[in-house]
Amino acid sequence: MSNINRDELFKWVDDHEKEYIEDLKGFCSIDSVKSAYVAGMPFGKGPFEALHYGMNLAERYGFEVRNYDNYVGTADLDKTLPRSLDMLAHTDVVPAGEGWTVTEPFSPIVKDGRIYGRGTSDDKGPLLCAMYAMRAIRENGVKLRKGVRLIMGADEETGSSDIKKYYEQEPEAEMTFSPDAEFPLINIEKGQFEGDISKSFTESTALPRLVSLEAGLALNAVPQKAVLRFEGLSLQKDNEIVKRLEKDFSVECQITGPDEITIIGRSAHASTPEGGINAGLAGLNLIARLPLADCEQVRAVKAVLTLFPWDETDGKHLGIKMEDKESHALSCTLDLYHVTTTELSVKFDSRTPVMATKENCEDMARKTVEAAGLDFSAPKGMIPPHAVPGDSPFVKTLLASLEAVTGLKGEAQAIGGGTYVHELKNGVAFGAVLPDVDTHMHGADEFFDISNAMIAIKVYIEAIIRLCA
């Protein structure tokens, strides 16, 4: 290992910056949001095309590629070596959403040292960082003792069914990291608890009334937009209420039709909901403030607001607020909204610390929701947290690699987000985004700093050398 020339390897990275950018632009021009099943395309056309884009690149760069029924693709640095290190990334993306200002979501551009587009930082850019690290090792003739494999999945954002299928056929590697988070390193991923709150009621024809509220694109993202439709309501007459809502909640309200209001907030990942402005929750508050005729529907909306007060993201009023030293505080956000004249359905996403149990979390939420006169279900139950010892040789080697390349302090951390490694015994999230950088992941104007990408490639090169040479 001591004879390996890092300067040459890192120069190779710098020399291939433009090529990396072009590869990433091509990758991010593919709308790989999950869609309806098509024969041979288990997650729809977009994820299929993105997965094959990644596999084709890997094959072009000299790696041995295998396709696992269009669920997963793998690229091996040297198939003759014993499998040891897996790097696990994904080619699918969350829905584009609205509010993009720099470019269209799937028309990536470079501006001010950043590449903008859906998937640039989650997770196509980091995936290519791992691939380029393998490529640098290969093209510079570095000899390894252990094998390195890049695993590319096509369904991480909507349940990770792809990787479940992969591990039905393949054993877990000795070591696995996912370039699908932030540096320095994440060895603890909180558990997850999703809840459905609902209420059916008899339609009221009394006016004015709410006809519908729709908000939210995915359960793992704070909704940026809410659309409310009314009947028998003078939006101009009640404009002062709308203006007050804008001021109180820092949202934008637009009259988008004769009886329609659209509320614009700010999206954020469900694991960090405090960074968003929840347009759906603002919509519920608007319903509560407007002079609508009293009915079961309005009372159900107001009941939901007793459980989810504005700007509360710790689950306090749901009865599940908790925190421990190892994995920190619980987070909770109401992300999907569907209200009609006969039913209310809202869904929340909670990221739970190690101390969370069925009794103090799921059972408590059920009790609180039902006490408010609403119905509750938790289809997935409690998804347990994931933890790898912070002092393990694998973790310490990854952190030493980061420190050697960047000078940043290497320390293991806990997050609320979940990655592909959540079910793996010796899996951690390692980069690729540098600390304290908000890339608008899952939001509008998602980006990846090009300098960040080059640093991540070098860190992964160093990690591969230390772990496998």
Side-chain angles (χ1 to χ4, degrees), residues 226-387:
V227 178
L228 299 89
R229 295 183 177 89
F230 300 92
E231 183 181 353
L233 183 71
S234 172
L235 297 181
Q236 298 299 332
K237 179 181 177 182
D238 296 306
N239 197 36
E240 287 303 315
I241 295 175
V242 175
K243 286 182 177 179
R244 185 66 189 178
L245 186 93
E246 288 183 312
K247 183 178 180 181
D248 289 347
F249 298 155
S250 299
V251 295
E252 179 185 354
C253 296
Q254 305 167 351
I255 297 177
T256 47
D259 299 291
E260 180 180 280
I261 292 178
T262 297
I263 300 176
I264 304 298
R266 182 173 66 238
S267 185
H269 195 283
S271 64
T272 53
E274 65 278 2
I277 300 176
N278 196 318
L281 198 54
L284 296 185
N285 277 274
L286 179 60
I287 294 166
R289 292 184 178 193
L290 287 168
L292 302 177
D294 182 51
C295 63
E296 288 185 274
Q297 177 206 59
V298 172
R299 290 195 291 273
V301 166
K302 291 179 178 179
V304 171
L305 287 174
T306 67
L307 306 172
F308 294 90
W310 181 256
D311 218 20
E312 179 179 289
T313 57
D314 60 6
K316 179 181 178 181
H317 281 76
L318 199 58
I320 59 174
K321 180 179 179 178
M322 65 185 75
E323 181 174 1
D324 59 38
K325 184 177 180 181
E326 186 178 20
S327 50
H328 312 304
L330 177 147
S331 65
C332 186
T333 171
L334 199 63
D335 290 339
L336 291 178
Y337 301 73
H338 173 70
V339 185
T340 70
T341 56
T342 59
E343 64 175 341
L344 173 147
S345 173
V346 293
K347 302 178 189 294
F348 68 82
D349 181 335
S350 178
R351 307 301 167 103
T352 57
V354 172
M355 69 177 289
T357 64
K358 182 180 184 296
E359 291 73 24
N360 66 18
C361 197
E362 181 181 344
D363 292 351
M364 181 58 70
R366 182 184 306 277
K367 179 180 178 181
T368 308
V369 171
E370 291 178 351
L374 302 167
D375 298 321
F376 178 80
S377 66
K380 295 182 180 179
M382 298 283 295
I383 298 174
H386 167 73

Side-chain angles (χ1 to χ4, degrees), residues 10-219:
F10 293 170
K11 182 178 184 302
W12 182 97
V13 174
D14 295 333
D15 290 345
H16 287 77
E17 178 182 303
K18 290 183 179 179
E19 194 171 350
Y20 171 90
I21 292 170
E22 290 307 309
D23 284 346
L24 183 53
K25 287 171 70 176
F27 213 174
C28 293
S29 67
I30 301 169
D31 178 350
S32 52
V33 176
K34 184 177 181 178
S35 58
Y37 171 86
V38 179
M41 303 178 184
F43 311 114
K45 183 179 178 182
F48 173 87
E49 291 181 351
L51 181 63
H52 279 260
Y53 183 95
M55 289 191 293
N56 291 340
L57 270 186
E59 192 168 43
R60 185 200 311 171
Y61 294 142
F63 305 119
E64 187 170 339
V65 172
R66 179 177 173 184
N67 182 353
Y68 292 78
D69 300 323
N70 296 317
Y71 281 72
V72 167
T74 59
D76 284 287
L77 185 56
D78 186 344
K79 198 73 177 289
T80 66
L81 296 174
R83 269 191 64 203
S84 184
L85 175 65
D86 283 350
M87 298 183 293
L88 187 51
H90 65 91
T91 63
D92 62 316
V93 296
V94 296
E98 298 186 9
W100 291 73
T101 61
V102 179
T103 185
E104 293 300 311
F106 299 104
S107 298
I109 64 167
V110 174
K111 182 179 180 181
D112 300 328
R114 294 173 168 174
I115 181 163
Y116 287 85
R118 174 61 82 227
T120 50
S121 60
D122 181 25
D123 187 36
K124 294 173 180 177
L127 183 154
L128 288 186
C129 289
M131 185 184 292
Y132 265 65
M134 291 171 60
R135 187 181 169 197
I137 294 285
R138 182 181 181 277
E139 294 187 12
N140 285 275
V142 177
K143 301 298 182 184
L144 302 179
R145 295 180 297 107
K146 297 181 178 182
V148 180
R149 172 176 288 182
L150 174 61
I151 303 173
M152 299 171 281
D155 185 41
E156 191 271 347
E157 296 290 3
T158 54
S160 299
S161 64
D162 53 345
I163 213 66
K164 292 183 180 72
K165 186 176 181 68
Y166 172 79
Y167 283 115
E168 289 173 359
Q169 303 178 56
E170 295 284 358
E172 181 181 338
E174 175 190 2
M175 306 169 285
T176 304
F177 75 74
S178 177
D180 188 20
E182 299 82 34
F183 289 122
L185 180 145
I186 294 155
N187 68 316
I188 297 175
E189 295 179 4
K190 290 180 180 178
Q192 190 172 12
F193 166 47
E194 299 174 355
D196 296 358
I197 299 172
S198 60
K199 185 73 174 180
S200 297
F201 32 77
T202 303
E203 180 174 2
S204 170
T205 57
L207 300 179
R209 68 172 185 165
L210 172 75
V211 175
S212 65
L213 161 65
E214 300 290 341
L217 296 172
L219 192 50

